[in-house]
Amino acid sequence: GQNIDQPTEMTATEGAIVQINCTYQTSGFNGLFWYQQHAGEAPTFLSYNVLDGLEEKGRFSSFLSRSKGYSYLLLKELQMKDSASYLCAVREDSTLTFGKGTMLLVSP
Amino acid sequence: DAGVTQSPTHLIKTRGQQVTLRCSPISGHKSVSWYQQVLGQGPQFIFQYYEKEERGRGNFPDRFSARQFPNYSSELNVNALLLGDSALYLCASSSEGRGNGYTFGSGTRLTVV
């Protein structure tokens, strides 16, 4: 079966670093995506990993270990506007299977 | 450049009615996917179309159907609406290639009463 797990909620302080973990068990794998979604809005693309290792893009980094079925999204220098839901999604063939999302609350 | 556009943005329907949601992909994108997002959950895959052909279908009843037109726009139809169909319906477009990301539209918020 398909299973993607990520924490339901996380809290952090402005300026801090937070790591959001994602574990997956899927029948196929063609890459892992992270999306950010503010309440009532569309998911916006953050990162894509298909090979093991770390991908860095500004304040955001994403890591993948295919053998462990594990990924994390690292957010540095947190800002209030980073308060949002973060979605982990695995691509199988040409479709995305999403986790339930991690609601991140950044406080002053 | 216009992103993925969806219409309408909000919709209220009564149980048993039918609804049609529309999506226009990014210019040049030939693939359109539909997702249902219930409050507090991640999006769930419904359909994918590429070059007017259905490429994938999620675990949804036959009340859900879709099609893609020659200009690559798409419609999602839901018949015999149930209260549980209340959700945000997202359309995503992508260009060919495994490494390409999916760009989502702002969605249609459907409320069934």
Side-chain angles (χ1 to χ4, degrees), chain B residues 62-101:
Chain B
D62 292 343
R63 299 185 295 108
F64 289 76
S65 63
R67 56 179 175 170
Q68 187 177 33
F69 298 98
N71 66 354
Y72 305 113
S73 67
S74 178
E75 286 183 351
L76 175 70
N77 295 283
V78 187
N79 294 323
L81 285 167
L82 303 174
L83 295 179
D85 295 331
S86 295
L88 179 67
Y89 288 84
L90 295 164
C91 172
S93 79
S94 66
S95 57
E96 184 66 349
R98 289 183 174 183
N100 293 324

PDB file of all heavy atoms in Angstrom, chain B residues 62-101:
ATOM      1  N   ASP B  62     -17.398   6.224  -9.733  1.00  0.00           N
ATOM      2  CA  ASP B  62     -17.701   6.581 -11.119  1.00  0.00           C
ATOM      3  C   ASP B  62     -18.498   7.877 -11.243  1.00  0.00           C
ATOM      4  O   ASP B  62     -18.670   8.384 -12.365  1.00  0.00           O
ATOM      5  CB  ASP B  62     -18.483   5.439 -11.780  1.00  0.00           C
ATOM      6  CG  ASP B  62     -17.629   4.199 -11.969  1.00  0.00           C
ATOM      7  OD1 ASP B  62     -16.392   4.340 -11.892  1.00  0.00           O
ATOM      8  OD2 ASP B  62     -18.187   3.119 -12.184  1.00  0.00           O
ATOM      9  N   ARG B  63     -18.962   8.413 -10.131  1.00  0.00           N
ATOM     10  CA  ARG B  63     -19.646   9.712 -10.173  1.00  0.00           C
ATOM     11  C   ARG B  63     -18.688  10.825 -10.613  1.00  0.00           C
ATOM     12  O   ARG B  63     -19.119  11.887 -11.052  1.00  0.00           O
ATOM     13  CB  ARG B  63     -20.194  10.074  -8.791  1.00  0.00           C
ATOM     14  CG  ARG B  63     -21.209   9.109  -8.211  1.00  0.00           C
ATOM     15  CD  ARG B  63     -21.767   9.621  -6.908  1.00  0.00           C
ATOM     16  NE  ARG B  63     -20.762   9.710  -5.843  1.00  0.00           N
ATOM     17  CZ  ARG B  63     -20.281  10.860  -5.384  1.00  0.00           C
ATOM     18  NH1 ARG B  63     -20.685  12.022  -5.881  1.00  0.00           N
ATOM     19  NH2 ARG B  63     -19.388  10.866  -4.393  1.00  0.00           N
ATOM     20  N   PHE B  64     -17.411  10.551 -10.499  1.00  0.00           N
ATOM     21  CA  PHE B  64     -16.378  11.509 -10.904  1.00  0.00           C
ATOM     22  C   PHE B  64     -15.922  11.163 -12.320  1.00  0.00           C
ATOM     23  O   PHE B  64     -15.596  10.006 -12.619  1.00  0.00           O
ATOM     24  CB  PHE B  64     -15.182  11.453  -9.958  1.00  0.00           C
ATOM     25  CG  PHE B  64     -15.443  12.018  -8.594  1.00  0.00           C
ATOM     26  CD1 PHE B  64     -16.168  11.311  -7.646  1.00  0.00           C
ATOM     27  CD2 PHE B  64     -14.937  13.269  -8.247  1.00  0.00           C
ATOM     28  CE1 PHE B  64     -16.405  11.845  -6.387  1.00  0.00           C
ATOM     29  CE2 PHE B  64     -15.165  13.803  -6.987  1.00  0.00           C
ATOM     30  CZ  PHE B  64     -15.900  13.093  -6.059  1.00  0.00           C
ATOM     31  N   SER B  65     -15.901  12.170 -13.187  1.00  0.00           N
ATOM     32  CA  SER B  65     -15.403  11.975 -14.542  1.00  0.00           C
ATOM     33  C   SER B  65     -14.686  13.242 -14.976  1.00  0.00           C
ATOM     34  O   SER B  65     -14.871  14.316 -14.386  1.00  0.00           O
ATOM     35  CB  SER B  65     -16.535  11.637 -15.506  1.00  0.00           C
ATOM     36  OG  SER B  65     -17.461  12.717 -15.596  1.00  0.00           O
ATOM     37  N   ALA B  66     -13.880  13.120 -15.994  1.00  0.00           N
ATOM     38  CA  ALA B  66     -13.132  14.278 -16.476  1.00  0.00           C
ATOM     39  C   ALA B  66     -12.842  14.118 -17.956  1.00  0.00           C
ATOM     40  O   ALA B  66     -13.003  13.027 -18.527  1.00  0.00           O
ATOM     41  CB  ALA B  66     -11.832  14.450 -15.683  1.00  0.00           C
ATOM     42  N   ARG B  67     -12.425  15.204 -18.559  1.00  0.00           N
ATOM     43  CA  ARG B  67     -11.981  15.157 -19.940  1.00  0.00           C
ATOM     44  C   ARG B  67     -11.032  16.311 -20.184  1.00  0.00           C
ATOM     45  O   ARG B  67     -11.014  17.294 -19.431  1.00  0.00           O
ATOM     46  CB  ARG B  67     -13.158  15.227 -20.909  1.00  0.00           C
ATOM     47  CG  ARG B  67     -14.066  16.431 -20.734  1.00  0.00           C
ATOM     48  CD  ARG B  67     -15.195  16.413 -21.755  1.00  0.00           C
ATOM     49  NE  ARG B  67     -16.147  17.497 -21.538  1.00  0.00           N
ATOM     50  CZ  ARG B  67     -17.101  17.810 -22.408  1.00  0.00           C
ATOM     51  NH1 ARG B  67     -17.219  17.148 -23.535  1.00  0.00           N
ATOM     52  NH2 ARG B  67     -17.942  18.794 -22.138  1.00  0.00           N
ATOM     53  N   GLN B  68     -10.235  16.162 -21.253  1.00  0.00           N
ATOM     54  CA  GLN B  68      -9.302  17.212 -21.653  1.00  0.00           C
ATOM     55  C   GLN B  68      -9.585  17.582 -23.093  1.00  0.00           C
ATOM     56  O   GLN B  68      -9.824  16.714 -23.945  1.00  0.00           O
ATOM     57  CB  GLN B  68      -7.851  16.750 -21.500  1.00  0.00           C
ATOM     58  CG  GLN B  68      -6.826  17.855 -21.748  1.00  0.00           C
ATOM     59  CD  GLN B  68      -5.398  17.402 -21.514  1.00  0.00           C
ATOM     60  OE1 GLN B  68      -5.051  16.240 -21.744  1.00  0.00           O
ATOM     61  NE2 GLN B  68      -4.550  18.305 -21.048  1.00  0.00           N
ATOM     62  N   PHE B  69      -9.543  18.853 -23.376  1.00  0.00           N
ATOM     63  CA  PHE B  69      -9.890  19.374 -24.695  1.00  0.00           C
ATOM     64  C   PHE B  69      -8.636  19.581 -25.549  1.00  0.00           C
ATOM     65  O   PHE B  69      -7.519  19.567 -25.027  1.00  0.00           O
ATOM     66  CB  PHE B  69     -10.662  20.681 -24.521  1.00  0.00           C
ATOM     67  CG  PHE B  69     -11.953  20.509 -23.771  1.00  0.00           C
ATOM     68  CD1 PHE B  69     -12.026  20.782 -22.414  1.00  0.00           C
ATOM     69  CD2 PHE B  69     -13.089  20.029 -24.419  1.00  0.00           C
ATOM     70  CE1 PHE B  69     -13.204  20.608 -21.713  1.00  0.00           C
ATOM     71  CE2 PHE B  69     -14.276  19.851 -23.729  1.00  0.00           C
ATOM     72  CZ  PHE B  69     -14.327  20.132 -22.366  1.00  0.00           C
ATOM     73  N   PRO B  70      -8.817  19.810 -26.870  1.00  0.00           N
ATOM     74  CA  PRO B  70      -7.650  19.996 -27.749  1.00  0.00           C
ATOM     75  C   PRO B  70      -6.730  21.130 -27.317  1.00  0.00           C
ATOM     76  O   PRO B  70      -5.537  21.110 -27.616  1.00  0.00           O
ATOM     77  CB  PRO B  70      -8.288  20.270 -29.119  1.00  0.00           C
ATOM     78  CG  PRO B  70      -9.582  19.549 -29.067  1.00  0.00           C
ATOM     79  CD  PRO B  70     -10.068  19.687 -27.651  1.00  0.00           C
ATOM     80  N   ASN B  71      -7.264  22.138 -26.627  1.00  0.00           N
ATOM     81  CA  ASN B  71      -6.400  23.238 -26.163  1.00  0.00           C
ATOM     82  C   ASN B  71      -5.788  22.915 -24.795  1.00  0.00           C
ATOM     83  O   ASN B  71      -5.198  23.791 -24.172  1.00  0.00           O
ATOM     84  CB  ASN B  71      -7.185  24.543 -26.096  1.00  0.00           C
ATOM     85  CG  ASN B  71      -8.281  24.526 -25.045  1.00  0.00           C
ATOM     86  OD1 ASN B  71      -8.544  23.483 -24.427  1.00  0.00           O
ATOM     87  ND2 ASN B  71      -8.922  25.662 -24.844  1.00  0.00           N
ATOM     88  N   TYR B  72      -5.930  21.679 -24.335  1.00  0.00           N
ATOM     89  CA  TYR B  72      -5.363  21.144 -23.090  1.00  0.00           C
ATOM     90  C   TYR B  72      -6.087  21.595 -21.831  1.00  0.00           C
ATOM     91  O   TYR B  72      -5.713  21.174 -20.737  1.00  0.00           O
ATOM     92  CB  TYR B  72      -3.861  21.422 -22.974  1.00  0.00           C
ATOM     93  CG  TYR B  72      -3.090  20.908 -24.156  1.00  0.00           C
ATOM     94  CD1 TYR B  72      -2.465  21.782 -25.050  1.00  0.00           C
ATOM     95  CD2 TYR B  72      -3.024  19.539 -24.411  1.00  0.00           C
ATOM     96  CE1 TYR B  72      -1.786  21.293 -26.152  1.00  0.00           C
ATOM     97  CE2 TYR B  72      -2.343  19.051 -25.519  1.00  0.00           C
ATOM     98  CZ  TYR B  72      -1.731  19.934 -26.388  1.00  0.00           C
ATOM     99  OH  TYR B  72      -1.066  19.463 -27.489  1.00  0.00           O
ATOM    100  N   SER B  73      -7.128  22.413 -21.968  1.00  0.00           N
ATOM    101  CA  SER B  73      -7.932  22.713 -20.793  1.00  0.00           C
ATOM    102  C   SER B  73      -8.708  21.464 -20.393  1.00  0.00           C
ATOM    103  O   SER B  73      -8.798  20.498 -21.160  1.00  0.00           O
ATOM    104  CB  SER B  73      -8.882  23.878 -21.073  1.00  0.00           C
ATOM    105  OG  SER B  73      -9.853  23.491 -22.025  1.00  0.00           O
ATOM    106  N   SER B  74      -9.254  21.477 -19.194  1.00  0.00           N
ATOM    107  CA  SER B  74      -9.898  20.264 -18.682  1.00  0.00           C
ATOM    108  C   SER B  74     -11.122  20.609 -17.863  1.00  0.00           C
ATOM    109  O   SER B  74     -11.250  21.721 -17.332  1.00  0.00           O
ATOM    110  CB  SER B  74      -8.894  19.492 -17.822  1.00  0.00           C
ATOM    111  OG  SER B  74      -9.483  18.331 -17.255  1.00  0.00           O
ATOM    112  N   GLU B  75     -12.021  19.660 -17.799  1.00  0.00           N
ATOM    113  CA  GLU B  75     -13.203  19.757 -16.947  1.00  0.00           C
ATOM    114  C   GLU B  75     -13.276  18.538 -16.044  1.00  0.00           C
ATOM    115  O   GLU B  75     -12.965  17.420 -16.481  1.00  0.00           O
ATOM    116  CB  GLU B  75     -14.487  19.816 -17.790  1.00  0.00           C
ATOM    117  CG  GLU B  75     -14.732  21.123 -18.497  1.00  0.00           C
ATOM    118  CD  GLU B  75     -16.051  21.114 -19.254  1.00  0.00           C
ATOM    119  OE1 GLU B  75     -16.678  20.042 -19.352  1.00  0.00           O
ATOM    120  OE2 GLU B  75     -16.427  22.184 -19.757  1.00  0.00           O
ATOM    121  N   LEU B  76     -13.700  18.778 -14.804  1.00  0.00           N
ATOM    122  CA  LEU B  76     -13.992  17.698 -13.869  1.00  0.00           C
ATOM    123  C   LEU B  76     -15.484  17.749 -13.575  1.00  0.00           C
ATOM    124  O   LEU B  76     -16.010  18.807 -13.219  1.00  0.00           O
ATOM    125  CB  LEU B  76     -13.201  17.875 -12.574  1.00  0.00           C
ATOM    126  CG  LEU B  76     -13.506  16.873 -11.455  1.00  0.00           C
ATOM    127  CD1 LEU B  76     -12.984  15.487 -11.827  1.00  0.00           C
ATOM    128  CD2 LEU B  76     -12.873  17.329 -10.133  1.00  0.00           C
ATOM    129  N   ASN B  77     -16.163  16.638 -13.752  1.00  0.00           N
ATOM    130  CA  ASN B  77     -17.585  16.543 -13.483  1.00  0.00           C
ATOM    131  C   ASN B  77     -17.834  15.606 -12.307  1.00  0.00           C
ATOM    132  O   ASN B  77     -17.206  14.548 -12.202  1.00  0.00           O
ATOM    133  CB  ASN B  77     -18.326  15.992 -14.713  1.00  0.00           C
ATOM    134  CG  ASN B  77     -18.252  16.941 -15.881  1.00  0.00           C
ATOM    135  OD1 ASN B  77     -18.954  17.936 -15.932  1.00  0.00           O
ATOM    136  ND2 ASN B  77     -17.380  16.637 -16.824  1.00  0.00           N
ATOM    137  N   VAL B  78     -18.740  16.026 -11.449  1.00  0.00           N
ATOM    138  CA  VAL B  78     -19.140  15.172 -10.343  1.00  0.00           C
ATOM    139  C   VAL B  78     -20.662  15.108 -10.342  1.00  0.00           C
ATOM    140  O   VAL B  78     -21.343  16.147 -10.284  1.00  0.00           O
ATOM    141  CB  VAL B  78     -18.642  15.702  -8.979  1.00  0.00           C
ATOM    142  CG1 VAL B  78     -18.951  14.675  -7.882  1.00  0.00           C
ATOM    143  CG2 VAL B  78     -17.160  16.012  -9.017  1.00  0.00           C
ATOM    144  N   ASN B  79     -21.205  13.905 -10.441  1.00  0.00           N
ATOM    145  CA  ASN B  79     -22.650  13.695 -10.440  1.00  0.00           C
ATOM    146  C   ASN B  79     -23.143  13.263  -9.068  1.00  0.00           C
ATOM    147  O   ASN B  79     -22.363  12.790  -8.234  1.00  0.00           O
ATOM    148  CB  ASN B  79     -23.014  12.603 -11.463  1.00  0.00           C
ATOM    149  CG  ASN B  79     -22.738  13.042 -12.880  1.00  0.00           C
ATOM    150  OD1 ASN B  79     -22.938  14.200 -13.240  1.00  0.00           O
ATOM    151  ND2 ASN B  79     -22.236  12.112 -13.686  1.00  0.00           N
ATOM    152  N   ALA B  80     -24.437  13.423  -8.856  1.00  0.00           N
ATOM    153  CA  ALA B  80     -25.090  12.939  -7.629  1.00  0.00           C
ATOM    154  C   ALA B  80     -24.299  13.326  -6.391  1.00  0.00           C
ATOM    155  O   ALA B  80     -23.874  12.467  -5.598  1.00  0.00           O
ATOM    156  CB  ALA B  80     -25.267  11.426  -7.712  1.00  0.00           C
ATOM    157  N   LEU B  81     -24.085  14.614  -6.221  1.00  0.00           N
ATOM    158  CA  LEU B  81     -23.229  15.124  -5.156  1.00  0.00           C
ATOM    159  C   LEU B  81     -23.664  14.649  -3.775  1.00  0.00           C
ATOM    160  O   LEU B  81     -24.859  14.583  -3.451  1.00  0.00           O
ATOM    161  CB  LEU B  81     -23.217  16.653  -5.185  1.00  0.00           C
ATOM    162  CG  LEU B  81     -22.385  17.283  -6.303  1.00  0.00           C
ATOM    163  CD1 LEU B  81     -22.703  18.762  -6.442  1.00  0.00           C
ATOM    164  CD2 LEU B  81     -20.899  17.067  -6.045  1.00  0.00           C
ATOM    165  N   LEU B  82     -22.646  14.331  -2.977  1.00  0.00           N
ATOM    166  CA  LEU B  82     -22.834  13.953  -1.579  1.00  0.00           C
ATOM    167  C   LEU B  82     -22.198  15.017  -0.691  1.00  0.00           C
ATOM    168  O   LEU B  82     -21.315  15.768  -1.129  1.00  0.00           O
ATOM    169  CB  LEU B  82     -22.172  12.596  -1.307  1.00  0.00           C
ATOM    170  CG  LEU B  82     -22.613  11.417  -2.162  1.00  0.00           C
ATOM    171  CD1 LEU B  82     -21.755  10.197  -1.867  1.00  0.00           C
ATOM    172  CD2 LEU B  82     -24.084  11.116  -1.944  1.00  0.00           C
ATOM    173  N   LEU B  83     -22.639  15.042   0.578  1.00  0.00           N
ATOM    174  CA  LEU B  83     -22.052  16.008   1.502  1.00  0.00           C
ATOM    175  C   LEU B  83     -20.536  15.834   1.591  1.00  0.00           C
ATOM    176  O   LEU B  83     -19.792  16.812   1.718  1.00  0.00           O
ATOM    177  CB  LEU B  83     -22.670  15.855   2.899  1.00  0.00           C
ATOM    178  CG  LEU B  83     -24.162  16.169   3.030  1.00  0.00           C
ATOM    179  CD1 LEU B  83     -24.619  15.939   4.468  1.00  0.00           C
ATOM    180  CD2 LEU B  83     -24.472  17.591   2.586  1.00  0.00           C
ATOM    181  N   GLY B  84     -20.077  14.603   1.500  1.00  0.00           N
ATOM    182  CA  GLY B  84     -18.651  14.300   1.598  1.00  0.00           C
ATOM    183  C   GLY B  84     -17.827  14.772   0.423  1.00  0.00           C
ATOM    184  O   GLY B  84     -16.595  14.700   0.466  1.00  0.00           O
ATOM    185  N   ASP B  85     -18.495  15.247  -0.626  1.00  0.00           N
ATOM    186  CA  ASP B  85     -17.759  15.784  -1.774  1.00  0.00           C
ATOM    187  C   ASP B  85     -17.321  17.224  -1.526  1.00  0.00           C
ATOM    188  O   ASP B  85     -16.588  17.799  -2.342  1.00  0.00           O
ATOM    189  CB  ASP B  85     -18.632  15.735  -3.037  1.00  0.00           C
ATOM    190  CG  ASP B  85     -18.970  14.313  -3.462  1.00  0.00           C
ATOM    191  OD1 ASP B  85     -18.159  13.404  -3.191  1.00  0.00           O
ATOM    192  OD2 ASP B  85     -20.054  14.119  -4.060  1.00  0.00           O
ATOM    193  N   SER B  86     -17.746  17.794  -0.432  1.00  0.00           N
ATOM    194  CA  SER B  86     -17.332  19.149  -0.075  1.00  0.00           C
ATOM    195  C   SER B  86     -15.826  19.161   0.150  1.00  0.00           C
ATOM    196  O   SER B  86     -15.307  18.427   1.002  1.00  0.00           O
ATOM    197  CB  SER B  86     -18.046  19.618   1.191  1.00  0.00           C
ATOM    198  OG  SER B  86     -19.435  19.735   0.985  1.00  0.00           O
ATOM    199  N   ALA B  87     -15.127  19.986  -0.615  1.00  0.00           N
ATOM    200  CA  ALA B  87     -13.664  19.982  -0.568  1.00  0.00           C
ATOM    201  C   ALA B  87     -13.133  21.093  -1.458  1.00  0.00           C
ATOM    202  O   ALA B  87     -13.886  21.762  -2.169  1.00  0.00           O
ATOM    203  CB  ALA B  87     -13.105  18.637  -1.041  1.00  0.00           C
ATOM    204  N   LEU B  88     -11.813  21.261  -1.409  1.00  0.00           N
ATOM    205  CA  LEU B  88     -11.116  22.121  -2.358  1.00  0.00           C
ATOM    206  C   LEU B  88     -10.638  21.240  -3.504  1.00  0.00           C
ATOM    207  O   LEU B  88      -9.932  20.248  -3.277  1.00  0.00           O
ATOM    208  CB  LEU B  88      -9.921  22.799  -1.678  1.00  0.00           C
ATOM    209  CG  LEU B  88      -9.071  23.730  -2.542  1.00  0.00           C
ATOM    210  CD1 LEU B  88      -9.862  24.973  -2.957  1.00  0.00           C
ATOM    211  CD2 LEU B  88      -7.796  24.147  -1.788  1.00  0.00           C
ATOM    212  N   TYR B  89     -11.031  21.563  -4.715  1.00  0.00           N
ATOM    213  CA  TYR B  89     -10.627  20.790  -5.882  1.00  0.00           C
ATOM    214  C   TYR B  89      -9.517  21.543  -6.600  1.00  0.00           C
ATOM    215  O   TYR B  89      -9.698  22.676  -7.050  1.00  0.00           O
ATOM    216  CB  TYR B  89     -11.817  20.521  -6.801  1.00  0.00           C
ATOM    217  CG  TYR B  89     -12.758  19.517  -6.185  1.00  0.00           C
ATOM    218  CD1 TYR B  89     -13.731  19.923  -5.281  1.00  0.00           C
ATOM    219  CD2 TYR B  89     -12.628  18.156  -6.464  1.00  0.00           C
ATOM    220  CE1 TYR B  89     -14.569  18.995  -4.672  1.00  0.00           C
ATOM    221  CE2 TYR B  89     -13.463  17.221  -5.862  1.00  0.00           C
ATOM    222  CZ  TYR B  89     -14.419  17.650  -4.961  1.00  0.00           C
ATOM    223  OH  TYR B  89     -15.244  16.729  -4.362  1.00  0.00           O
ATOM    224  N   LEU B  90      -8.370  20.892  -6.680  1.00  0.00           N
ATOM    225  CA  LEU B  90      -7.175  21.509  -7.237  1.00  0.00           C
ATOM    226  C   LEU B  90      -6.850  20.911  -8.599  1.00  0.00           C
ATOM    227  O   LEU B  90      -6.951  19.696  -8.800  1.00  0.00           O
ATOM    228  CB  LEU B  90      -5.986  21.297  -6.304  1.00  0.00           C
ATOM    229  CG  LEU B  90      -6.073  21.969  -4.932  1.00  0.00           C
ATOM    230  CD1 LEU B  90      -5.051  21.360  -3.984  1.00  0.00           C
ATOM    231  CD2 LEU B  90      -5.843  23.463  -5.058  1.00  0.00           C
ATOM    232  N   CYS B  91      -6.432  21.778  -9.491  1.00  0.00           N
ATOM    233  CA  CYS B  91      -5.958  21.355 -10.797  1.00  0.00           C
ATOM    234  C   CYS B  91      -4.465  21.663 -10.847  1.00  0.00           C
ATOM    235  O   CYS B  91      -4.028  22.724 -10.385  1.00  0.00           O
ATOM    236  CB  CYS B  91      -6.703  22.116 -11.885  1.00  0.00           C
ATOM    237  SG  CYS B  91      -6.072  21.873 -13.554  1.00  0.00           S
ATOM    238  N   ALA B  92      -3.691  20.756 -11.395  1.00  0.00           N
ATOM    239  CA  ALA B  92      -2.252  20.962 -11.525  1.00  0.00           C
ATOM    240  C   ALA B  92      -1.843  20.694 -12.962  1.00  0.00           C
ATOM    241  O   ALA B  92      -2.331  19.739 -13.588  1.00  0.00           O
ATOM    242  CB  ALA B  92      -1.484  20.035 -10.588  1.00  0.00           C
ATOM    243  N   SER B  93      -0.965  21.534 -13.501  1.00  0.00           N
ATOM    244  CA  SER B  93      -0.460  21.274 -14.840  1.00  0.00           C
ATOM    245  C   SER B  93       1.044  21.043 -14.775  1.00  0.00           C
ATOM    246  O   SER B  93       1.725  21.528 -13.861  1.00  0.00           O
ATOM    247  CB  SER B  93      -0.802  22.407 -15.801  1.00  0.00           C
ATOM    248  OG  SER B  93       0.058  23.522 -15.652  1.00  0.00           O
ATOM    249  N   SER B  94       1.541  20.293 -15.726  1.00  0.00           N
ATOM    250  CA  SER B  94       2.970  20.042 -15.808  1.00  0.00           C
ATOM    251  C   SER B  94       3.352  19.812 -17.259  1.00  0.00           C
ATOM    252  O   SER B  94       2.521  19.441 -18.096  1.00  0.00           O
ATOM    253  CB  SER B  94       3.362  18.829 -14.960  1.00  0.00           C
ATOM    254  OG  SER B  94       2.796  17.650 -15.483  1.00  0.00           O
ATOM    255  N   SER B  95       4.636  20.055 -17.545  1.00  0.00           N
ATOM    256  CA  SER B  95       5.133  19.762 -18.875  1.00  0.00           C
ATOM    257  C   SER B  95       5.716  18.355 -18.862  1.00  0.00           C
ATOM    258  O   SER B  95       5.887  17.749 -17.802  1.00  0.00           O
ATOM    259  CB  SER B  95       6.194  20.778 -19.293  1.00  0.00           C
ATOM    260  OG  SER B  95       7.245  20.802 -18.357  1.00  0.00           O
ATOM    261  N   GLU B  96       6.017  17.818 -19.976  1.00  0.00           N
ATOM    262  CA  GLU B  96       6.521  16.455 -20.043  1.00  0.00           C
ATOM    263  C   GLU B  96       7.888  16.376 -19.407  1.00  0.00           C
ATOM    264  O   GLU B  96       8.673  17.308 -19.435  1.00  0.00           O
ATOM    265  CB  GLU B  96       6.600  16.006 -21.507  1.00  0.00           C
ATOM    266  CG  GLU B  96       7.014  14.564 -21.684  1.00  0.00           C
ATOM    267  CD  GLU B  96       5.990  13.562 -21.149  1.00  0.00           C
ATOM    268  OE1 GLU B  96       5.052  13.959 -20.454  1.00  0.00           O
ATOM    269  OE2 GLU B  96       6.139  12.373 -21.415  1.00  0.00           O
ATOM    270  N   GLY B  97       8.171  15.268 -18.759  1.00  0.00           N
ATOM    271  CA  GLY B  97       9.476  15.116 -18.120  1.00  0.00           C
ATOM    272  C   GLY B  97       9.308  14.815 -16.653  1.00  0.00           C
ATOM    273  O   GLY B  97       8.601  15.504 -15.944  1.00  0.00           O
ATOM    274  N   ARG B  98       9.982  13.795 -16.176  1.00  0.00           N
ATOM    275  CA  ARG B  98       9.799  13.343 -14.807  1.00  0.00           C
ATOM    276  C   ARG B  98      10.247  14.370 -13.784  1.00  0.00           C
ATOM    277  O   ARG B  98       9.726  14.449 -12.708  1.00  0.00           O
ATOM    278  CB  ARG B  98      10.578  12.051 -14.580  1.00  0.00           C
ATOM    279  CG  ARG B  98      10.013  10.855 -15.277  1.00  0.00           C
ATOM    280  CD  ARG B  98      10.809   9.620 -14.940  1.00  0.00           C
ATOM    281  NE  ARG B  98      10.186   8.426 -15.486  1.00  0.00           N
ATOM    282  CZ  ARG B  98      10.651   7.201 -15.289  1.00  0.00           C
ATOM    283  NH1 ARG B  98      11.728   7.023 -14.556  1.00  0.00           N
ATOM    284  NH2 ARG B  98      10.039   6.174 -15.808  1.00  0.00           N
ATOM    285  N   GLY B  99      11.247  15.148 -14.124  1.00  0.00           N
ATOM    286  CA  GLY B  99      11.778  16.074 -13.138  1.00  0.00           C
ATOM    287  C   GLY B  99      11.011  17.354 -13.011  1.00  0.00           C
ATOM    288  O   GLY B  99      11.316  18.181 -12.159  1.00  0.00           O
ATOM    289  N   ASN B 100      10.010  17.529 -13.849  1.00  0.00           N
ATOM    290  CA  ASN B 100       9.279  18.785 -13.812  1.00  0.00           C
ATOM    291  C   ASN B 100       8.254  18.794 -12.700  1.00  0.00           C
ATOM    292  O   ASN B 100       7.573  17.816 -12.459  1.00  0.00           O
ATOM    293  CB  ASN B 100       8.587  19.033 -15.157  1.00  0.00           C
ATOM    294  CG  ASN B 100       9.600  19.275 -16.252  1.00  0.00           C
ATOM    295  OD1 ASN B 100      10.619  19.888 -16.024  1.00  0.00           O
ATOM    296  ND2 ASN B 100       9.313  18.791 -17.439  1.00  0.00           N
ATOM    297  N   GLY B 101       8.179  19.935 -12.049  1.00  0.00           N
ATOM    298  CA  GLY B 101       7.223  20.079 -10.970  1.00  0.00           C
ATOM    299  C   GLY B 101       5.822  20.279 -11.487  1.00  0.00           C
ATOM    300  O   GLY B 101       5.586  20.435 -12.680  1.00  0.00           O
TER     301      GLY B 101
END
